[in-house]
Amino acid sequence: MGGDAASYHAGMEYRQLLGTDLRVSALGFGVWTVGTTWWGVKDEALGLELLRRAFDLGVTFFDTADTYASGAAESILAKALREKRDELVIATKFGYDIYNNPERPGQQERPHDWTPQYLRKALEGSLRRLGTDRIDYYQLHNPRLDAIQKDDLWAELEKAKIEGLIRAYGTALGPALNERQIDEGVASLRERRAPTQIIYNLLEQVLGQAILPVAEKEGVGVVARVPHASGLLEGYMTQDTTFESGDHRNWRLTTNERKKAWLEDGLKKVDMLQRFLDGRTIGQLAIQWALRSPAMASVLPNIYDEAGLTNYAATFDARPLSDVEYAEIQQLYAENFGLKTNLIGETIR
């Protein structure tokens, strides 16, 4: 089964996705960075290399979706690691009707279809593109509360689980960080006992502060994406950072004034975190912080080059985050790092 001990790596941490029988690498791989062109990876060979290298470094949890490049992000995962299938935990998502609605410019949302019939169609398509007979973790993709409360949809998920087509199911909340996702995440955990995926990092804690205590109490897991706050906590951003046309990260740079304000605000906060970097990089600190809760199963950083991948994979060999350091970071956050404005909490992905 996915995530068997044969794939475990001495330098990696593995955790239970609470509420399921899945054991995942604490560092996961969001296939959106290599299965689409949103993050500057346009060479399929590079994408394949990064996926395979991640597996070699102990990553067993790979998260994709049928809507990413209309299925191409599922196909590249199969192409890269098909022969390792039994050692992987494959997560994908459904809900956007990719068959009747073309991709929209700027990664705008397509219409959802939450009928049991569409679920079956989406599931069949994902199984085919992934080249597998089961999906380990099947997620509602950016559902609103009405979808989480749709009994016939969840009954169909349970039926597909009984049939062996999926092993576990949950929700992935988004697309942009929005406080309404607190209600969606809590409903997923409490009403469906289904794990949930959220935007969560030490600069954007609003969802985690509300959802993680519920997850811990209910014994149901959480997965975090954007643990590096859209690049701020990766360590490369400066006031002069730019991206080529078509790169997903350009969304932040709609106007020069907005770019300047967001970067100035964020980089001041990053500067105040430098004193915590003895024995770790800023990227590793962000991952250690995000994994603090016992309900947090895995984090999904944006991986688009070898340097980032190896840096993040080395997190579990770096000096661990102490209780004192964690408390000091939380105090900084509570005080908004001493700043009067807060322009961080608008992340997407």
Side-chain angles (χ1 to χ4, degrees):
M1 302 296 285
D4 281 348
S7 64
Y8 285 4
H9 187 281
M12 181 60 65
E13 182 179 326
Y14 299 89
R15 296 185 170 197
Q16 198 75 18
L17 178 59
L18 299 180
T20 79
D21 66 353
L22 302 175
R23 191 162 179 81
V24 300
S25 54
L27 177 71
F29 196 124
V31 185
W32 53 76
T33 58
V34 298
T36 70
T37 59
W38 302 348
W39 297 89
V41 179
K42 298 180 180 178
D43 181 2
E44 182 183 272
L46 174 58
L48 294 169
E49 179 184 344
L50 288 172
L51 289 166
R52 291 166 180 157
R53 178 61 177 152
F55 177 80
D56 291 341
L57 290 170
V59 175
T60 59
F61 183 48
F62 293 85
D63 181 48
T64 187
D66 61 4
T67 194
Y68 300 151
S70 297
E74 293 179 322
S75 298
I76 193 174
L77 179 58
K79 187 172 182 178
L81 294 169
R82 187 189 304 268
E83 71 279 9
K84 305 295 186 181
R85 174 64 186 97
D86 288 344
E87 299 174 76
L88 308 180
V89 177
I90 293 178
T92 193
K93 311 180 191 76
F94 76 98
Y96 290 118
D97 183 356
I98 67 172
Y99 299 101
N100 297 304
N101 300 278
E103 286 194 67
R104 298 182 173 187
Q107 295 124 51
Q108 298 178 59
E109 289 187 272
R110 302 178 185 186
H112 281 120
D113 187 337
W114 298 118
T115 63
Q117 294 78 16
Y118 184 75
L119 183 159
R120 287 289 179 166
K121 181 176 182 177
L123 179 57
E124 179 183 343
S126 288
L127 288 168
R128 182 179 65 254
R129 288 185 294 271
L130 288 164
T132 185
D133 61 355
R134 82 280 183 192
I135 290 167
D136 299 304
Y137 183 46
Y138 203 37
Q139 302 157 93
L140 282 69
H141 199 176
N142 300 337
R144 281 26 171 199
L145 193 58
D146 61 334
I148 297 172
Q149 295 175 336
K150 200 172 188 306
D151 289 341
D152 60 348
L153 174 66
W154 291 84
E156 198 68 22
L157 282 167
E158 184 62 23
K159 184 178 178 182
K161 180 180 177 181
I162 292 169
E163 294 170 7
L165 298 176
I166 59 178
R167 293 178 60 194
Y169 47 79
T171 58
L173 306 182
L177 190 155
N178 189 309
E179 288 191 28
R180 72 143 208 281
Q181 292 156 21
I182 294 173
D183 291 338
E184 296 160 1
V186 170
S188 181
L189 297 168
R190 283 184 176 157
E191 298 177 23
R192 301 300 178 182
R193 301 203 57 77
T196 193
Q197 181 184 136
I198 61 173
I199 292 170
Y200 184 57
N201 57 71
L202 63 81
L203 300 182
E204 297 169 305
Q205 300 187 30
V206 61
L207 298 184
Q209 285 188 346
I211 289 172
L212 282 167
V214 176
E216 292 173 12
K217 181 178 179 180
E218 298 293 332
V220 183
V222 177
V223 173
R225 70 181 185 278
V226 201
H228 294 110
S230 298
L232 280 171
L233 297 171
E234 291 181 27
Y236 69 84
M237 275 196 173
T238 70
Q239 293 288 351
D240 300 318
T241 296
T242 60
F243 303 104
E244 64 183 73
S245 177
D247 191 300
H248 178 71
R249 288 161 288 182
N250 267 326
W251 78 272
R252 279 287 195 186
L253 316 182
T254 52
T255 69
N256 286 337
E257 285 304 311
R258 188 166 187 79
K259 170 189 174 182
K260 181 180 179 182
W262 180 76
L263 282 177
E264 284 183 354
D265 187 61
L267 291 175
K268 286 175 183 176
K269 295 179 179 182
V270 170
D271 284 344
M272 284 181 251
L273 294 169
Q274 297 303 305
R275 62 188 174 94
F276 299 102
L277 300 190
D278 181 26
R280 63 174 79 90
T281 66
I282 187 73
Q284 292 166 355
L285 171 67
I287 291 172
Q288 290 179 346
W289 181 92
L291 287 167
R292 186 73 176 185
S293 169
M296 186 64 71
S298 185
V299 298
L300 302 167
N302 293 323
I303 296 170
Y304 37 78
D305 57 34
E306 173 76 15
L309 173 59
T310 54
N311 177 20
Y312 304 150
T315 295
F316 309 98
D317 294 321
R319 183 172 66 87
L321 183 66
S322 71
D323 293 343
V324 171
E325 289 173 316
Y326 179 79
E328 290 177 358
I329 290 172
Q330 291 306 90
Q331 186 63 37
L332 282 174
Y333 179 84
E335 298 169 351
N336 192 36
F337 293 78
L339 304 181
K340 294 182 179 179
T341 60
N342 185 14
L343 302 176
I344 301 299
E346 303 170 357
T347 305
I348 61 173
R349 180 59 269 121

